Amino acid sequence: MAMKVTVIGLGYLGATHAVAMSKIGHTVIGIEPNQAKVDSLNSGRAGFFEPGLDEELAAQLASGRLSFRTSHDESSKDAEIHFICVGTPQLEGSLAADTSYLHSAIRDLAPYLSSDAVVVGKSTVPVGTAALLTEELNKLTGFEANLAWNPEFLREGTALEDSLSPDRLVVGVTSEHSEKKLREVFAPMIFAGVPFIVTDLATAELVKAAANAFLATKISFINAMAEIAEVSGADASQLATAIGYDERIGNKFLRNGVGFGGGCLPKDIRALMARAEELGVGESVAYLKEIDKINIRRRQRVLNMLTEELGTLEGKAVLVLGAAFKPDSDDVRDSPALEIALLLKKAGAIVMVHDPIALPGVNKKHPELATEQDLLKSFSSMDAVVLATEWQDYRQLDPSTIVGINNKFIIDGRNVLDVVKWQSAGFKVLALGKTIKN
Ligand code: UGA
């Protein structure tokens, strides 16, 4: 049955969730204090690149079920569910997550909360946060508020699809009432066979942290193998394929390269370490420090390979292909590609950055970096090229069309290039995790 819900916080998670909830028939009020963001959403633009999202946003706005505003008003009072989707970024100068946006969201919501409405946190939080928020909400409202936790597992690039057909729904609840309401709001997905896992609050919070820690561990595991492969003549990509056939291991998230980035995996493993430390069990996830270090080392490895080839980085023109933390996204938060560009610049190289869609973000955040939107032009006068984000544009590029390059040398930082094709076009090709004969 259609319900009325609010979605608080309209970043990547919230905007996508609001559209998804409207698409399955609910009436949705999206709330976000940033007026420009609200105006953009109301005009059908999410404000970030996500395949298919703007089209679906426009369709849902046209349905009349979806609207956006900057704050709660009387219309929030009869909402049956309030989803909280605000960000929990890494705190400046600490590994921990900043949960202050959650507390403000709760404070703003309290005057409009009815006693039978359910507040559902979706943000990624340190375990124990939901219990604190429940206490705070009870104090603010004067009644026993229903607070539940429903972590989100969407990936950038497939966000809408992941929201509409998730692998699983996890709900942490403290009452039958909350569970009933959550079953109702997710009814179409449950009907379609999506597993619905009911837990307590702490488990639901920890499921998300654990899932991201596991994914980060898989990536750093294969990158650690890549380090060994590089000095032993083995091939880490073949190794991943071979171990991946074992169903207990699986072949996903075993692509070696310049490592993981984005607004989630790096900050989430750090927040888990910080929270475990606070709980007195820091040792349990101390290995995540190594996971983080292996990941960061891959970026430096690219610089070392370039130095070996060019003699020095000082004054050398290097093109970095990619700035987004992964393809099909314009997100440059904690991006390995962007970090490599910045490290190169720091080392004295003349850096040029290309990305099919993320350059506006790069120009805004790092005006010191030179950027070029035209892919073929970006190769002009370069002494070396680093493929750092595996956009289709780079995989499909015909290297024989590249002209004006100074030195035909490319490092495949994501192991996606057709090496023979690039070598036939006269390029010396090196890659991470394997030795290529040139
Ligand atoms: C990640 C999780 O995959 C989602 O399930 C989760 O919901 C989300 O974080 C979140 O916490 O909100 P996302 O950050 O969109 O999603 O990106 P991923 O697809 O996980 O990729 C993360 C990074 O790992 C990228 O930089 C990617 O290039 C890198 N990666 C991924 C590898 O280096 N190797 C791989 O095999 C896979």
Side-chain angles (χ1 to χ4, degrees):
M1 222 181 57
M3 298 167 91
K4 181 171 178 184
V5 307
T6 73
V7 176
I8 301 161
L10 299 171
Y12 221 101
L13 165 59
T16 310
H17 187 64
V19 172
M21 287 297 101
S22 170
K23 181 151 171 90
I24 61 173
H26 301 306
T27 299
V28 183
I29 307 171
I31 294 167
E32 156 71 53
N34 182 330
Q35 181 75 55
K37 219 180 237 185
V38 166
D39 291 345
S40 168
L41 284 160
N42 274 326
S43 71
R45 286 187 313 272
F48 52 85
F49 179 82
E50 180 61 40
L53 185 61
D54 281 359
E55 291 79 353
E56 196 54 55
L57 168 61
Q60 295 312 315
L61 285 168
S63 77
R65 288 192 296 274
L66 178 62
S67 60
F68 300 100
R69 45 186 313 119
T70 51
S71 57
H72 293 282
D73 67 0
E74 292 301 303
S75 62
S76 290
K77 283 191 167 165
D78 61 346
E80 292 170 82
I81 294 192
H82 302 276
F83 287 104
I84 303 197
C85 299
V86 297
T88 49
Q90 189 173 339
L91 269 173
E92 191 85 22
S94 153
L95 293 184
D98 177 359
T99 56
S100 62
Y101 298 108
L102 282 165
H103 293 280
S104 351
I106 290 285
R107 279 196 298 274
D108 293 345
L109 171 62
Y112 300 91
L113 187 67
S114 70
S115 57
D116 56 355
V118 185
V119 179
V120 181
K122 288 189 74 68
S123 314
T124 303
V125 290
V127 58
T129 305
L132 288 177
L133 292 172
T134 307
E135 257 175 50
E136 193 175 342
L137 206 50
N138 290 349
K139 261 191 218 142
L140 288 164
T141 57
F143 55 75
E144 288 247 323
N146 300 292
L147 191 125
W149 217 261
N150 164 230
E152 178 59 60
F153 303 100
L154 66 79
R155 292 157 299 170
E156 297 191 16
T158 51
L160 192 57
E161 212 179 300
D162 289 346
S163 300
L164 291 167
S165 321
D167 293 339
R168 72 299 208 188
L169 285 159
V170 177
V171 298
V173 295
T174 54
S175 69
E176 276 177 26
H177 174 71
S178 296
E179 180 182 338
K180 184 171 159 277
K181 288 287 169 191
L182 280 158
R183 284 190 184 276
E184 214 175 310
V185 80
F186 290 125
M189 291 145 185
I190 299 170
F191 181 73
V194 173
F196 188 80
I197 301 158
V198 182
T199 69
D200 51 41
L201 293 176
T203 306
E205 294 171 308
L206 201 52
V207 164
K208 175 60 191 278
N212 276 1
F214 197 84
L215 293 172
T217 302
K218 276 193 105 173
I219 301 169
S220 276
F221 172 82
I222 200 61
N223 281 331
M225 291 301 119
E227 290 184 337
I228 298 174
E230 282 160 11
V231 293
S232 63
D235 181 326
S237 302
Q238 283 188 331
L239 183 143
T241 307
I243 61 170
Y245 275 112
D246 183 333
E247 279 177 12
R248 294 168 304 171
I249 296 173
N251 58 10
K252 293 196 178 130
F253 264 66
L254 280 181
R255 295 190 312 274
N256 82 90
V258 293
F260 61 80
C264 303
L265 299 193
K267 82 147 169 82
D268 289 352
I269 58 169
R270 293 169 196 156
L272 182 54
M273 284 188 270
R275 185 60 182 143
E277 199 66 56
E278 278 171 17
L279 292 168
V281 288
E283 274 183 16
S284 308
V285 285
Y287 80 94
L288 287 175
K289 235 181 258 163
E290 288 305 318
I291 297 301
D292 206 358
K293 276 195 206 160
I294 294 166
N295 191 49
I296 301 293
R297 273 207 302 273
R298 293 281 77 192
R299 304 168 185 188
Q300 187 57 47
R301 167 77 184 140
V302 172
L303 267 79
N304 296 349
M305 287 164 82
L306 283 166
T307 313
E308 242 167 70
E309 174 69 18
L310 302 172
T312 172
L313 290 173
E314 192 73 46
K316 298 291 180 182
V318 184
L319 168 63
V320 179
L321 292 178
F325 83 107
K326 68 174 190 180
D328 289 327
S329 168
D330 61 356
D331 195 341
V332 295
R333 283 176 297 170
D334 221 325
S335 163
L338 190 55
E339 186 60 27
I340 287 169
L342 292 167
L343 287 172
L344 281 166
K345 174 123 185 126
K346 215 167 138 195
I350 303 159
V351 184
M352 176 63 75
V353 180
H354 175 275
D355 190 282
I357 58 165
L359 292 187
V362 178
N363 294 333
K364 204 164 134 200
K365 265 184 144 169
H366 295 286
E368 73 277 20
L369 284 174
T371 57
E372 171 57 65
Q373 187 70 62
D374 185 310
L375 178 55
L376 279 176
K377 263 196 211 158
S378 69
F379 287 89
S380 173
S381 306
M382 289 296 144
D383 296 315
V385 183
V386 178
L387 188 156
T389 310
E390 67 276 34
W391 283 98
Q392 275 301 336
D393 304 44
Y394 309 148
R395 306 166 80 142
Q396 286 167 355
L397 179 66
D398 178 354
S400 67
T401 58
I402 296 169
V403 290
I405 190 164
N406 216 12
N407 180 30
K408 288 188 166 182
F409 172 64
I410 185 163
I411 296 177
D412 184 358
R414 293 287 185 180
N415 281 292
V416 290
L417 292 182
D418 179 339
V419 174
V420 174
K421 196 163 87 179
W422 281 75
Q423 286 178 329
S424 307
F427 276 82
K428 176 171 181 182
V429 186
L430 294 187
L432 271 72
K434 65 174 149 215
T435 309
I436 295 176
K437 285 198 184 75
N438 283 281

